[in-house]
Amino acid sequence: MLDLQELQARALDELANADSQEALEQWRHAYLGRTGELTLALRSIGQLPAEERPAAGQQANQVRQALTEGFEVRQAAVNEAAMAATLATDALDVRLPGRPQTLGHVHVITQVLRDIYGIFRQMGFSVFQTREVEDDTTNFQLLNMPPDHPARDMWSTFYATTPGVLLRTHTSPGQIHAMRQFYPDPFRVILPGKCYRYEQVTTRSEHMFHQVEGLAIGQNITIADLKGVLEHFARQMFGPERKLRFRASYFPFTEPSAECDVDCSICGGAGCQLCKHSGWLEILGGGMVHPEVLRNGGYDPDVYSGFAFGMGPERLALLKYGINDIRLFYANDLRFLQQFG
Ligand code: PHE
């Protein structure tokens, strides 16, 4: 005689302990599968005497329903527990702080350039942009330096393989471009930008550096105007306590010419490596635009005059911040650059 009561009790007992998908599957196979205990029991009902079959059949159906329902309930519970476990282990903790975006800032030389623009803007100068790749004619010849002129030795030059093409060694060729653009009007501009020199890199000079050229063309412009503009600039840039000195100098494209020094902010004038133990740091060259250069720009030197100067923002930054090595600006060392954030 089949003990269906016993089978149901045992099956439900085992079901209560099935705690994974695999265990559930095994259980289903053992009881409800094609060769499962209950299936076999149901099949064996046919062999019972006819009068016992209806009662046994009814009971077997009840047991099958109990096991099927029990299985579904248990399966739902196991699924839910598995889901909860995955949620707990794979959870995305939204409370974690996000990765901070590091904010950059403009390079210290860009800051100095902007300071320079601001000071010259007060004096009515606008910014004139010109090219970095120049030709020999504009970089040298129209500035009064024919081929083989000894003054060319002041500008060691990166030449391109195309004859006559070079990286500008100074912003002065911009003077020619500006004059030709503004002629016949009077004007004053600054011409900022990168310059290149093929020379030894030291604490004071780099292959690539910036210059800010100044150029004022008009009638009755004198060297007093040049000095006044430069003194105003230096006071705005470095404060009234810095000393300024003008030295007579020579440039082929200005006459007379001068160089302008500021007392060294590293050693306070006592002498150090940066100022070559002179106590002074040269920040610019300048002078009155040479009549030949005026003519090359289209202006009649009998009617017009002008002054020009060229300064080095890297040099100004060394002085302003007391930095002792120009190579730091372009070495891309964040420890250095971030000090100017
Ligand atoms: N171009 C000169 C230099 O690079 C500087 C300069 C500019 C001098 C304008 C006079 C006038 O040294």
Side-chain angles (χ1 to χ4, degrees):
M1 172 68 210
L2 277 169
D3 190 347
L4 287 168
Q5 283 305 324
E6 186 275 333
L7 191 147
Q8 175 171 338
R10 186 158 44 83
L12 291 181
D13 241 26
E14 264 176 45
L15 184 62
N17 290 324
D19 55 3
S20 67
Q21 283 304 332
E22 300 83 68
L24 278 169
E25 206 37 55
Q26 269 171 25
W27 181 91
R28 210 178 55 79
H29 187 71
Y31 291 100
L32 301 173
R34 268 197 310 124
T35 54
E37 265 192 67
L38 184 64
T39 317
L40 295 179
L42 282 168
R43 254 186 239 151
S44 69
I45 287 173
Q47 280 130 44
L48 289 177
E51 65 277 11
E52 286 179 26
R53 279 186 222 157
Q58 200 183 2
Q59 198 189 6
N61 274 332
Q62 279 166 3
V63 172
R64 186 170 53 180
Q65 203 180 341
L67 293 197
T68 312
E69 276 171 15
F71 178 80
E72 278 163 12
V73 171
R74 183 69 193 148
Q75 190 178 44
V78 167
N79 280 347
E80 209 169 291
M83 174 73 86
T86 339
L87 280 179
T89 49
D90 294 357
L92 173 68
D93 187 348
V94 291
R95 295 167 306 168
L96 275 178
R99 298 213 179 98
Q101 289 282 342
T102 36
L103 265 192
H105 57 83
V106 286
H107 191 275
V108 54
I109 295 302
T110 309
Q111 293 177 32
V112 169
L113 282 169
R114 290 181 183 177
D115 290 346
I116 296 172
Y117 303 161
I119 297 168
F120 282 102
R121 189 185 302 123
Q122 294 170 355
M123 294 186 277
F125 285 77
S126 48
V127 172
F128 188 89
Q129 297 276 9
T130 77
R131 63 189 67 174
E132 286 173 28
V133 178
E134 269 295 353
D135 51 24
D136 187 276
T137 313
T138 323
N139 195 82
F140 291 123
Q141 295 178 43
L142 294 174
L143 296 175
N144 242 352
M145 281 177 278
D148 302 318
H149 191 287
R152 287 192 181 211
D153 290 350
M154 288 199 276
W155 292 277
S156 326
T157 310
F158 285 110
Y159 290 98
T161 43
T162 316
V165 176
L166 49 86
L167 294 179
R168 67 177 175 189
T169 58
H170 51 175
T171 42
S172 300
Q175 290 186 27
I176 301 292
H177 297 299
M179 282 190 279
R180 290 183 174 178
Q181 176 147 333
F182 285 107
Y183 177 81
D185 298 325
F187 69 94
R188 57 201 126 141
V189 291
I190 50 173
L191 307 99
K194 292 188 180 99
C195 303
Y196 304 85
R197 288 193 198 166
Y198 180 56
E199 57 187 27
Q200 197 179 353
V201 174
T202 68
T203 51
R204 301 160 77 249
S205 47
E206 269 271 24
H207 287 134
M208 189 283 295
F209 56 96
H210 291 80
Q211 280 194 343
V212 177
E213 189 92 3
L215 178 64
I217 303 288
Q219 293 177 25
N220 307 316
I221 291 182
T222 72
I223 202 162
D225 298 311
L226 172 62
K227 283 190 79 175
V229 163
L230 292 179
E231 261 165 18
H232 177 75
F233 166 75
R235 267 187 236 119
Q236 294 283 313
M237 192 75 187
F238 300 112
E241 73 285 356
R242 283 256 88 78
K243 289 202 281 290
L244 207 66
R245 92 177 170 184
F246 290 89
R247 278 179 291 112
S249 186
Y250 168 75
F251 296 103
F253 36 91
T254 46
E255 183 61 36
S257 302
E259 277 172 324
C260 179
D261 305 332
V262 177
D263 62 328
C264 180
S265 63
I266 294 266
C267 60
C272 68
Q273 201 196 350
L274 181 67
C275 62
K276 280 198 196 156
H277 303 282
S278 70
W280 297 91
L281 206 72
E282 182 198 323
I283 55 162
L284 60 88
M288 300 307 290
V289 180
H290 193 286
E292 199 52 40
V293 175
L294 278 171
R295 218 172 272 128
N296 290 337
Y299 289 83
D300 179 354
D302 291 332
V303 182
Y304 291 92
S305 58
F307 65 72
F309 57 84
M311 62 175 71
E314 283 85 0
R315 293 283 180 86
L316 300 184
L318 294 180
L319 270 171
K320 192 174 162 116
Y321 299 110
I323 298 163
N324 61 8
D325 192 337
I326 207 166
R327 294 169 296 191
L328 288 165
F329 292 125
Y330 304 113
N332 284 338
D333 186 337
L334 287 179
R335 290 170 304 177
F336 172 76
L337 295 172
Q338 280 169 346
Q339 297 176 77
F340 307 99

